Amino acid sequence: MKVIVVNTQQELDALPEKFADFTRIEIRASVRIVVGKAWENSSVEAWENSSVVAWENSSVEAWENSSV
C-alpha cells in the first residue's frame, strides 16, 4: 500500500483523481484541510492535531488529537 502524507490544502488538491494501487492519504496539518471529494482506490486519515472537513462521499479516519 502506498502512503501519501499531506501537510497543506495545496498538496491535497494536487492529488490525482484516482490511484492505480490502493493509497492511504495521511493528513498531518496544523491548519484546516477541506476534503471535498473521495479519491478512487484510496482512504483519508487525519493525524496528530489535524482538523478535516469532509464533504460528499468522503470518508475520514481521525487519529490522536485530530477532529473531523
Side-chain angles (χ1 to χ4, degrees), residues 12-30:
L12 184 70
D13 293 343
L15 294 177
E17 291 295 317
K18 63 182 178 178
F19 298 95
D21 297 317
F22 184 78
T23 302
R24 184 174 70 217
I25 302 165
E26 292 184 4
I27 297 176
R28 295 179 181 261
S30 58

Side-chain angles (χ1 to χ4, degrees), residues 35-40 42-44 53-60:
V35 180
K37 62 183 175 182
W39 289 268
E40 188 174 324
S42 68
S43 69
V44 175
V53 178
W55 297 94
E56 298 174 7
N57 293 324
S58 300
S59 174
V60 178

Side-chain angles (χ1 to χ4, degrees), residues 7 40-41 47-48 50 56:
N7 295 297
E40 188 174 324
N41 207 21
W47 285 82
E48 297 165 356
S50 300
E56 298 174 7

